Amino acid sequence: MMDSTMLSSREGLAEALRSRDPEFNRALLDEAYRVKCETVGPEVYLRGLIEISNRCVKNCLYCGIRRDVRCRRYELTEDEVLDAARTAAQQRFGSVVIQGGERTDRAFVEKITRLIRAIKALPTEAGDPPLGITLSLGEQPREVYEEWFAAGAHRYLLRIESSNPDLYARIHPADHSFDRRLRALQELKECGFQAGTGAMIGLPSQTAEDLAGDLLFYKEFNAPMVGMGPYNPHPDTPLTRSGVPYPSEKERFLLGLKMIALLRLLMPDINIAAATALEVLDPRGRELGLLAGANVFMPNLTPEQQRRQYNLYDRKAVGGQWSLGQSLTDGKIRIGYGRWGDSLRFRKEHNC
Ligand code: SAH
Ligand code: SF4
């Protein structure tokens, strides 16, 4: 059923994504889980997610915290970030992700540099290394990437959002540039980061071929890690208001799982995150992502009050408490406590 030509062409991948055959879809997800266990192992690595601020200088047409949305803006204090990171260390998550709206002012950049150093200096449980740090803070000048890498961050997530330049242009204002985004990804690699990327799944006017192209883009970019998830509309954004149709919740959810599965088959030894956006569509969404081939899970450590204001999309449905341990007791998911859980591909390529 899973014939090898499916993975070798854009058309084969698009056809697999379009399939409505429940047997085929089930077999695809199961095969991806099997390949994951065989290649990177059954462990899931944790990254405590700290949403540092919803202030953003950008205006992406899909995003609920874009510059022009009128909402209450917050920024966590350094103590709040460090408290969240301490929780990650105590709970033996192994890593944190600092994510937020894009800002390039010097005060913000220096705050992040100080935080990286302070997080690296936090005590961890006996035998655990210092916390690993992933950043997700948008496009920055190369010098800033260098500064943050030198301070101790070692992974960076910057999604391509869509690998189709036309679709990229349709979901961003005119002052955003696809080429600049590509350059930023390249620079992150050159600065030494494990550079993760990803795209939204089920965007208005996106085709199965576009999604297949995203998968091939990850392969061509040789991404050591990928975080991709369903598009979830936010009511106050131009993309939602444009009225251009997009797939139903059910379709976006299934597409989200199938993209994870196909990517695991295409790139068996990379890290793939089970994105929070899956959970908006199904309370067990992220767990199902792990069973479809993902191996990274990001429990949210943002203080409750600010978390409610970090509305990239409408996520009222997301409870936010992480319950992986309790709900997946059937032994299919093991947690790699206290470990960085770096991408196997990256470790092989860099002998580390
Ligand atoms: N500002 C940084 C990090 C925060 S946004 C950046 O843009 O990289 C992180 C991700 O949220 C984005 O890459 C985007 O893919 C996702 N996102 C934003 N709005 C979304 C929406 N409406 N549905 C699904 N994902 C969304
Ligand atoms: Fe800002 Fe990121 Fe949202 Fe774009 S996606 S508006 S850069 S927070």
Side-chain angles (χ1 to χ4, degrees), residues 99 165 218 240 299 313 332 336 339 347:
Q99 188 183 82
Y218 306 142
T240 302
Y313 37 78
K332 284 191 131 180
R339 313 238 317 263
R347 284 189 282 130

Side-chain angles (χ1 to χ4, degrees), residues 56 60 62-65 99-102 136-139 157-159 161 181 199-200 229-234 237 277 310 312-314:
C56 188
C60 307
Y62 43 82
C63 179
I65 62 169
Q99 188 183 82
E102 195 172 303
S136 175
L137 298 167
E139 287 172 17
L157 287 171
L158 183 67
R159 288 180 168 180
E161 312 297 359
R181 174 70 42 135
M200 283 174 285
Y231 162 67
N232 289 317
H234 185 289
T237 57
Y310 193 76
L312 300 175
Y313 37 78
D314 196 357

